[in-house]
Amino acid sequence: MPDHSEAMRPLEHSAGKTEMLEGPHAKDIVHPAEMSVLDFADLYRSRGWSVIPLRPGSKKPRGPWAGFQLRHATDSEVQSWWAGSSNGIGIIAGAISGIVIVDIDGPEGEQAVAQRQLPVTPTVITARGRHLYFAHPGTGVTNRVSLYPQVDVRGDGDYVVAPPSVHESGSTYAWAEGLSPWEVQLADCPQWVVAHHEQTSVPAVARPLNTW
């Protein structure tokens, strides 16, 4: 797996401006349009995120994926999935990757979180809204559907579609400008997400794939 660690050191911010750090792979980081799907998969892996292949233009995995909640894919598996392939990328949420994703869909979802703390954190623009990536708090955070209207939590036992995967509508998942994981660090998981999981215990029931 290519070593992107130097290019992905924590970024420094001054006067509200984000500056790209130099490194041996900085060109790849600065110009994501020039990156292959395999390059993206390797970058995600360099962050410790567990990745799985998705069917082209679909949110559905290419095959069984539960095992990748417990282990990371090998180099040979990753090569077979994305070298010269149009497969999409899924990122396993939860403790294995150290991330929790808040999935906000449309105006209703944005309104539901308008008065809640949403710190600056890596953010993906989706076909219907956005995915906000946060650091896993270290305690169990399961998949939670409709935490608020059109707001879901993707945690332990779930996955999300990641850039540069193509949505079934033809749109492409993309990191928001200035909010990629190589430009901003993962923010702590909002307390309103963590507190909800501490107070309630509900089965993880996923919404239909065409809603996220």
Side-chain angles (χ1 to χ4, degrees):
M1 179 177 67
D3 180 10
H4 296 276
S5 58
E6 183 175 348
M8 299 187 70
R9 289 175 295 167
L11 299 182
E12 299 175 355
H13 298 264
S14 61
K17 181 180 180 180
T18 301
E19 296 183 356
M20 301 301 300
L21 294 185
E22 293 299 325
H25 301 277
K27 182 176 183 295
D28 292 338
I29 305 298
V30 175
H31 302 287
E34 299 177 5
M35 294 165 54
S36 69
V37 180
L38 179 59
D39 289 334
F40 273 94
D42 280 333
L43 280 171
Y44 299 150
R45 294 174 71 211
S46 74
R47 299 196 67 80
W49 297 352
S50 180
V51 295
I52 57 172
L54 306 180
R55 299 176 187 175
S58 172
K59 298 175 182 178
K60 296 181 179 180
R62 290 292 313 217
W65 61 277
F68 297 101
Q69 297 176 55
L70 303 174
R71 74 169 180 90
H72 291 270
T74 64
D75 288 350
S76 61
E77 285 173 323
V78 169
Q79 283 288 329
S80 68
W81 292 339
W82 289 297
S85 168
S86 58
N87 288 336
I89 302 177
I91 295 176
I92 304 292
I96 182 70
S97 297
I99 53 176
V100 172
I101 296 94
V102 175
D103 181 355
I104 304 171
D105 279 343
E108 187 177 5
E110 294 293 345
Q111 182 177 2
V113 299
Q115 302 303 316
R116 301 196 173 274
Q117 179 189 15
L118 286 174
V120 173
T121 198
T123 301
V124 169
I125 303 302
T126 71
R128 302 182 68 244
R130 54 186 177 141
H131 291 166
L132 280 66
Y133 285 55
F134 296 101
H136 194 281
T139 57
V141 178
T142 57
N143 180 40
R144 174 64 174 175
V145 177
S146 296
L147 178 62
Y148 299 105
Q150 297 300 308
V151 178
D152 299 340
V153 176
R154 309 289 173 189
D156 298 292
D158 207 350
Y159 69 92
V160 290
V161 184
S165 303
V166 178
H167 188 266
E168 57 193 8
S169 67
S171 64
T172 300
Y173 290 81
W175 292 104
E177 185 175 356
L179 294 177
S180 69
W182 45 88
E183 292 174 290
V184 296
Q185 293 180 302
L186 291 171
D188 290 339
C189 193
Q191 186 57 34
W192 54 269
V193 174
V194 177
H196 182 85
H197 282 79
E198 291 176 344
Q199 295 168 7
T200 63
S201 177
V202 297
V205 180
R207 280 197 286 154
L209 286 173
N210 61 7
T211 67
W212 53 276

